Amino acid sequence: MQTFDVMVLGAGSAGELVATATARGGRSVALVEAARVGGECPFVACVPSKVLRRSAEVRGLVGAAPRYGATGSPPRLDDGRAAWAAAVTRRDELVSGRDDVDKTREVGEAGVSLIRGRGWIAGTGRIEVDGTRYGWTDLVIATGGTPVRPPIDGFDQVPTWTSDEALSSAELPATMAILGGGPVGCELAQIYSAFGSKVILVEASDRLLGPEEPTVSAVLADVLGEGGVDLRLGATLTKATAAAGGARLTLDDDSQLQVDRVLVAIGRTPATDGIGLDTIGVTVSEDGLHVDERCHVRGQDHVWAAGDITGVAPYTHTANYQARIVTANLLGDTATADYRAVPRVVYTHPRRVASVGMTLEAAKEQGVDTVSAEMDLTETARASTDGAEVGRLVLVADRARAILVGVAAIGPRADEWLGEATLAIRAEVPLSLLTEVLHPFPTFAEGYEPPLRELAAKLSG
């Protein structure tokens, strides 16, 4: 039986990083993957969605050229289907045809043994892949997550997509229902609507982006509505019936929707089924594998986990962060994870949602004595020069420690100027110092200054 110092189960973002970095550090490493090396993000998730978002954004800017003084009369745009075909061509070019040959070569050049197939933990120190057994000293579980499908009567009889399938397809449905008003649902609703699909977004909560600041959610709802998305908030799908090549959907208020396609974006669940965790005594919960601050699976000395499988902030950047923590520990250092300042972004356009740290509600639930302040970003000079008509910034501070604990924003390129807040929360920078930070004029980052001074005044009063 061939034995490795480290075996990594799952070659997504986290698994690939752990495997290559640990191999370069001198350990013998095997990476087990049945599908693509690199996982979903480069091929059917983050990258293709952002490519399509950019195409939709540019299409919108071109159409709005007279408003920005770029032309005296409206330019001629292709019809939505022709434009969609061009956007899909660009998307597929930039995801390399969804072929992982380059990723495969890179892990091989790093000294990683790539084992193709579905891995199953056969007991402590053993993994079985398609009937062949391998030995390990340390095991890293990075199998990611899988889309959740709602248990709805008749749902298996109608044409549906997961987000992965939507971002691999060339089809532009004339009508589409999107289930879920989280980041993925909002992004895809806006993309498809921009190219002419009639999109109906169904969300069980009474607002979009439920865990985020209500002020920001409200602004996003206005942005999507202005872009033609039909929002059905506080609504639940109760029944689905195949009809006319599409689907007839019944909501809990007995209203019905007739659509060509249903896109399911109600979340993902950690991929723990069928990998043999019970053989090493690991108990699985609905929210994933519980890990300690070093990313050890709790109760295990030589089993680690990283990425969506842990249920911690399921983003690619979190997976990469946890992968670095695991790698450092495997190579003999002592590294611990700190999740207080994990950025969250929704890539809508022309205004993006960007948040970090706790919301005001979450801070209060955790017993933090809070003080908050808001800023209307349309009051910045940059909003005037760019023609930005809406935008909001919300700051949440810990009264006792006089530091920021949460920031939420919606505005142009908010993901890029969120870095200041991310650092401030992670490093616990005093508000007294933040109020002295200078921002270049005219930028949206200037929006930090008035609410920061307001917070400082409240704390000193």
Side-chain angles (χ1 to χ4, degrees):
M1 182 174 66
Q2 188 175 8
T3 300
F4 297 89
D5 294 333
V6 179
M7 289 198 76
V8 182
L9 190 56
S13 180
E16 179 190 6
L17 196 158
V18 170
T20 54
T22 306
R24 291 189 180 109
R27 306 289 295 276
S28 62
V29 181
L31 179 61
V32 181
E33 177 57 60
R36 300 183 187 94
V37 175
E40 295 158 348
C41 186
F43 304 109
V44 295
C46 314
V47 173
S49 68
K50 305 313 172 278
V51 173
L52 290 174
R53 179 206 61 79
R54 181 58 173 163
S55 296
E57 181 178 37
V58 172
R59 180 174 173 81
L61 286 172
V62 172
R67 174 172 171 254
Y68 295 102
T71 181
S73 58
R76 179 183 176 278
L77 288 170
D78 286 346
D79 71 274
R81 292 197 174 278
W84 175 255
V88 165
T89 297
R90 179 173 181 264
R91 177 198 71 187
D92 292 346
E93 288 173 351
L94 291 177
V95 298
S96 304
R98 296 176 186 80
D99 189 326
D100 70 348
V101 62
D102 290 338
K103 293 281 188 182
T104 299
R105 184 183 65 253
E106 289 168 6
V107 299
E109 290 173 348
V112 176
S113 296
L114 177 61
I115 303 173
R116 294 284 191 178
R118 182 172 175 79
W120 177 73
I121 304 166
T124 301
R126 302 187 306 278
I127 275 187
E128 184 175 301
V129 183
D130 296 336
T132 301
R133 287 201 170 185
Y134 302 88
W136 49 268
T137 301
D138 282 278
L139 172 66
V140 181
I141 303 172
T143 48
T146 57
V148 174
R149 286 181 62 86
I152 294 170
D153 181 29
F155 202 69
D156 58 346
Q157 303 299 315
V158 300
T160 62
W161 272 341
T162 63
S163 59
D164 294 359
E165 291 167 334
L167 291 167
S168 303
S169 175
E171 179 186 344
L172 180 67
T175 56
M176 172 189 288
I178 296 180
L179 305 185
V184 173
C186 290
E187 290 178 17
L188 293 181
Q190 193 179 55
I191 288 170
Y192 280 96
S193 180
F195 288 97
S197 286
K198 180 181 178 181
V199 178
I200 305 166
L201 191 154
V202 181
E203 166 56 43
S205 172
D206 60 359
R207 62 186 178 91
L208 302 173
L209 308 180
E212 300 296 344
E213 292 289 354
T215 300
V216 169
S217 297
V219 174
L220 180 60
D222 289 340
V223 170
L224 294 184
E226 291 169 2
V229 178
D230 181 357
L231 297 178
R232 304 294 181 94
L233 303 180
T236 303
L237 179 62
T238 59
K239 184 178 179 181
T241 306
R248 181 179 296 111
L249 308 178
T250 303
L251 304 184
D252 55 354
D253 62 358
D254 291 331
S255 63
Q256 292 191 336
L257 310 175
Q258 181 72 39
V259 297
D260 297 319
R261 177 74 65 173
V262 183
L263 196 160
V264 183
I266 59 174
R268 300 176 71 87
T269 187
T272 57
D273 290 344
I275 61 174
L277 290 168
D278 57 317
T279 68
I280 54 174
V282 173
T283 301
V284 178
S285 68
E286 290 184 0
D287 56 354
L289 297 183
H290 291 171
V291 294
D292 63 16
E293 67 278 3
R294 298 181 66 203
C295 292
H296 259 133
V297 174
R298 294 191 183 277
Q300 300 288 322
D301 292 332
H302 293 279
V303 182
W304 313 75
D308 290 3
I309 191 77
T310 68
V312 177
Y315 314 113
T316 299
H317 48 277
T318 311
N320 292 339
Y321 174 60
Q322 291 179 318
R324 293 193 295 272
I325 298 295
V326 171
T327 299
N329 285 306
L330 287 172
L331 294 178
D333 293 334
T334 299
T336 58
D338 186 325
Y339 303 111
R340 288 175 299 168
V342 178
R344 309 180 297 275
V345 179
V346 184
Y347 290 91
T348 46
H349 62 269
R351 285 156 288 278
R352 299 172 200 167
V353 176
S355 308
V356 63
M358 294 184 284
T359 63
L360 182 60
E361 181 180 354
K364 290 179 178 178
E365 288 176 353
Q366 294 184 31
V368 180
D369 183 10
T370 58
V371 58
S372 65
E374 297 188 14
M375 171 72 178
D376 184 345
L377 292 174
T378 62
E379 297 178 9
T380 63
R382 183 60 176 272
S384 297
T385 61
D386 282 15
E389 296 179 338
V390 296
R392 202 76 185 169
L393 177 64
V394 181
L395 307 185
V396 180
D398 182 324
R399 187 186 300 273
R401 294 185 293 160
I403 60 171
L404 287 178
V405 293
V407 173
I410 180 168
R413 298 184 177 87
D415 54 323
E416 297 175 7
W417 45 268
L418 186 74
E420 176 177 336
T422 302
L423 178 60
I425 293 172
R426 180 65 177 82
E428 298 186 346
V429 179
L431 282 170
S432 58
L433 177 57
L434 292 175
T435 58
E436 297 177 3
V437 173
L438 296 177
H439 300 91
F441 176 89
T443 60
F444 288 104
E446 286 185 290
Y448 282 113
E449 296 183 16
L452 280 171
R453 288 194 287 268
E454 181 182 339
L455 287 177
K458 289 180 177 179
L459 291 177
S460 64

